[in-house]
Amino acid sequence: MKKSISIIGGGLAGSECAYQLALRGFMVYLYEMRPSKQTEAHKTPYLAELVCSNSLKSTSLSTSSGLLKEELKLLNSIIIKTSYETAVPAGNSLSVDRLKFSKKITNILKSLKNIKIIEKEVESIDDIEGDYIVIATGPLTSNKLADDISLKFGDNLYFYDAISPIVESETIDFDKCFFASRYNKGNPDFLNYPIKEEEFEIFYNELINAKTTTYKSFENPRYFEGCLPIEEMAKRGKETLLFGPFRPVGLKYQNKTPFAVLQLRRENEEGTAYNLVGCQTKMLYSEQKRVFKIFEALKNATFLRFGSMHRNTYINSPQILSKNFMVKNNKKIYFAGQISGVEGYVESIASGLIVALDIIFREASKTLELPNPTALHALSNYNINFQGKSFSPSNFHFGLLPPLEIKVKNKKERKLLYSKRALEELSDFIEKYRFMLKFTYELK
C-alpha cells in the first residue's frame, strides 16, 4: 500500500510536490490556510499564487534559469508546463498571467483523486499525521508555525523581500514609450520609457528622500541582495540604478541610447496591467504615487498594486537539512520551497519536485542520486554544503556546477556547454529510472 504524505503549504513547491506524488499513487493531504487566513502579500484564494513578480526569468539555455526550467520540463513539472500554457509576451523570459496560472494549477490539483486539500492553518507540525511530512509554507510562514519550527529546529533566519508596483495600462502614456527587448533579442515585448538626464536627477533626489515604512522594534531588516528595495539601491549611488534596473544598454530610442530606461512588463495576457520592473520598494503608498509619477509616461498612472515589503522566513539549511531537503535527525520530515533556503520561483518549484522524487525513490528502496552536473543537484547541494559564515538563500547559478573539462573563453558558449552537459546527464538518468518516474494515475 502506498504511503501518505502531508504537505503544509500550497505554494509553488507544495503544489509541485503534491502533483508528482499523487500521480504515482501516494495519498496526499495538502494543507493551505488561505483563503480563510491570508498573508500580507497574497491576494487570491488559489494555490501556487505568484506574489513578487509574474516572471519566471529567461528561457535561454545560456542562462541559469533557462537550464533549471529545462531540467524541470524533462521531469514533467506541472508548474513549468502550466507556466508555458498561461504565458504572456515577455521577450526571452517566461512570464505568466498570474490569475489564469494559479486558477489552472488549483483546478488540476483538485481534479486528482489522490489529493485532499485541507483549508486549515497548521500551527504545529505535531498537529498533522502522515508517513512523510513536507513543510513548504514558503517565505510567509504564519507566526505560530514559524515559532513551532524555531522551537523544533532552531536557527530560523529571515530577510526582507520587496514587491514592485503595478499600474493600469490605460493610464500609461504609450506615446512617450517604445516596445523593444535588449539587443533586439526575441519579441519586443517590454515597454520602455526613455528617461532624460534632468528627469532622472529629479527622480533620484526624490527617491532617496522619500518616506518609507518603519520596522517594529524587534525586527532587524536583512535584505536579499538580488531583490533590494529601489530606494536602498539609490542610497548606494546613482550608478547603482544606472547599472541596475534603469540600465539603458542594448536599447535604442530614436537611434540613440537613452540616458536611462524604465522597463515595464505585462502582468496579464490582455495587457491591462504593467509591472514596474526592478522598482520593488518599501516607500509609503502616497510616496510611491508621488515619486513614480515624476516620470512623464506615468504622470496620470493608476496604481493597481503598490510596492510593499514582507518578511521572508527560512531555515538554516546547512545545519538542519541533509541531501534532497530531508531533515537530518528526522527522515520523516522534509522542507521545500523558499523556507528551505532556496531563492526564486523556479528554484522553489525544483525543491518541491526533488522532495517528491526522493520519497518516490525511498519507497522503491533506492537512493535518489541526481546527476552531479545538473542544476537540480547543485541546488540541493548548495543548501547542505554552504561554506560561508552566515547562510543566505541563493538562486541557482552556473558557479554552483562542477567545472567543464575544457576551457572555453566565450562566456555564452561556456554556459551553453554547461547546459548541454546537464541535460544529457539528466536525460540518461531519466532513461535509467523510467520505470520509477512514470505516472501510474491519470487525471479524472
Side-chain angles (χ1 to χ4, degrees), residues 10 62 84 97 115 155 171 178 187 218 244 358 384 434 436:
S62 63
Y84 279 97
D97 184 311
I115 294 181
D155 291 311
T171 63
F178 63 101
N187 297 320
F218 62 87
D358 197 79
I384 60 175
R434 187 167 295 280
M436 288 175 54

Side-chain angles (χ1 to χ4, degrees), residues 5-9 14 17-18 21 28-32 132-134 136:
I5 292 94
S6 290
I7 300 174
I8 313 173
C17 189
L21 290 167
V28 178
Y29 298 92
L30 180 59
Y31 291 81
E32 174 52 58
Y132 297 99
I133 295 172
V134 182

Side-chain angles (χ1 to χ4, degrees), residues 46-47 78 81-82 85-86 98-110:
Y46 303 115
L47 300 170
I78 189 59
K81 180 176 183 290
T82 306
E85 292 172 349
T86 58
R98 292 178 201 250
L99 197 57
K100 290 180 180 179
F101 168 79
S102 297
K103 277 185 176 180
K104 191 162 188 175
I105 292 294
T106 302
N107 290 335
I108 289 170
L109 295 186
K110 284 185 174 180

Side-chain angles (χ1 to χ4, degrees), residues 267-338:
E267 272 291 304
N268 53 25
E269 188 176 2
E270 295 77 16
T272 59
Y274 276 80
N275 184 301
L276 276 58
V277 177
C279 292
Q280 56 273 1
T281 180
K282 61 186 179 72
M283 285 188 283
L284 298 177
Y285 289 177
S286 58
E287 292 288 79
Q288 292 182 45
K289 290 175 69 173
R290 183 181 65 82
V291 172
F292 288 120
K293 285 190 175 188
I294 288 171
F295 296 132
E296 281 290 313
L298 301 180
K299 186 168 58 175
N300 298 310
T302 296
F303 286 76
L304 300 176
R305 183 190 75 182
F306 288 103
S308 64
M309 295 293 300
H310 54 270
R311 192 178 81 169
N312 280 3
T313 304
Y314 63 94
I315 60 171
N316 192 344
S317 298
Q319 292 188 16
I320 296 171
L321 300 182
S322 60
K323 187 170 61 176
N324 300 329
F325 300 97
M326 182 197 300
V327 171
K328 286 180 179 179
N329 58 3
N330 190 333
K331 295 184 178 180
K332 175 183 177 179
I333 300 176
Y334 292 81
F335 280 87
Q338 284 190 250

Side-chain angles (χ1 to χ4, degrees), residues 93-129:
S93 297
L94 174 59
S95 294
V96 305
D97 184 311
R98 292 178 201 250
L99 197 57
K100 290 180 180 179
F101 168 79
S102 297
K103 277 185 176 180
K104 191 162 188 175
I105 292 294
T106 302
N107 290 335
I108 289 170
L109 295 186
K110 284 185 174 180
S111 74
L112 291 171
K113 62 182 180 181
N114 279 32
I115 294 181
K116 183 178 181 181
I117 298 172
I118 303 169
E119 294 181 354
K120 170 187 175 182
E121 179 186 1
V122 176
E123 298 181 357
S124 171
I125 300 168
D126 298 331
D127 293 342
I128 60 173
E129 298 179 352

Side-chain angles (χ1 to χ4, degrees), residues 162-165 226-231 233 276-282 307:
I163 295 174
S164 296
C227 196
L228 284 171
I230 190 172
E231 59 274 9
M233 285 189 273
L276 276 58
V277 177
C279 292
Q280 56 273 1
T281 180
K282 61 186 179 72

Side-chain angles (χ1 to χ4, degrees), residues 199-218:
E199 188 179 28
F200 183 83
E201 288 290 333
I202 296 170
F203 168 76
Y204 176 79
N205 289 326
E206 293 299 322
L207 179 62
I208 60 175
N209 292 302
K211 295 178 182 177
T212 60
T213 55
T214 56
Y215 298 103
K216 296 176 183 179
S217 58
F218 62 87

